[in-house]
Amino acid sequence: MSKRATDLAERFKAFNNELIAFVKNCPDEDWRKVCPGEQWPVGVVARHIAASHYGALGLAKMMVAGEKLPELTEGVIDQMNSKHAEKHRHCTQDEVLKTLRQNGTSAADYVAGLSDTDLDRSGHIAAAGGDMTTEQLIVNIIILSGGEHFAN
């Protein structure tokens, strides 16, 4: 475990806790409003963050293990996101809260246990424009991009 990993895990936990508070307090009428950026209801965007962005941790695990990453182009990601949005268009707040809590805890625990060497491992992600480190993936894809969705 490294100080960088611990700090990163704390940053992630703060983001996850903020999202949980939002979902818990979101009125039903707002839950179904369409977000301008994604053109998905608020609930679908929250679930997308909890499942898809937090799910990107699987890529981080592959990077740490030295495995080759799948070819993720913007087109592939857009297709996956569209399928996810359609499948979960009627998701409930309870479902999203459960997903945020489970995936958030797993992600924070995993990140906190990484070493500096793990954080510095890299892999190629076409949609991100090339190689990135595990730390960059966690910051840019999970926290920052997830935060952009949350801002919508």
Side-chain angles (χ1 to χ4, degrees):
M1 178 176 349
S2 78
K3 171 89 169 96
R4 282 170 51 205
T6 302
D7 290 348
L8 189 55
E10 289 304 315
R11 185 174 170 194
F12 171 79
K13 283 181 195 176
F15 172 68
N16 193 56
N17 288 338
E18 185 179 358
L19 191 52
I20 287 171
F22 171 80
V23 170
K24 280 172 70 172
N25 297 309
C26 186
D28 287 341
E29 61 274 6
D30 289 344
W31 188 251
R32 291 181 291 280
K33 284 185 181 174
V34 174
C35 295
E38 297 81 1
Q39 295 300 306
W40 302 332
V42 168
V44 173
V45 174
R47 190 178 193 298
H48 170 74
I49 297 167
S52 300
H53 283 269
Y54 293 5
L57 197 64
L59 297 173
K61 290 177 181 181
M62 291 175 73
M63 290 165 72
V64 168
E67 298 173 13
K68 186 178 186 311
L69 300 179
E71 184 64 24
L72 291 174
T73 63
E74 287 184 32
V76 168
I77 292 170
D78 287 346
Q79 218 173 26
M80 290 178 355
N81 289 343
S82 292
K83 286 180 184 177
H84 179 268
E86 180 60 30
K87 181 177 180 180
H88 299 285
R89 69 179 183 261
H90 300 296
C91 61
T92 66
Q93 286 170 278
D94 287 341
E95 174 194 344
V96 173
L97 285 169
K98 181 180 177 183
T99 305
L100 282 167
R101 288 182 179 122
Q102 287 176 342
N103 291 354
T105 298
S106 296
D109 290 348
Y110 179 78
V111 171
L114 294 173
S115 68
D116 285 343
T117 301
D118 295 333
L119 291 171
D120 292 336
R121 292 190 189 275
S122 65
H124 184 80
I125 301 178
D131 290 350
M132 63 180 2
T133 65
T134 305
E135 183 172 18
Q136 290 170 327
L137 181 142
I138 294 166
V139 170
N140 294 330
I141 295 177
I142 298 174
I143 298 173
L144 295 179
S145 182
E148 289 172 10
H149 285 295
F150 183 32
N152 284 333

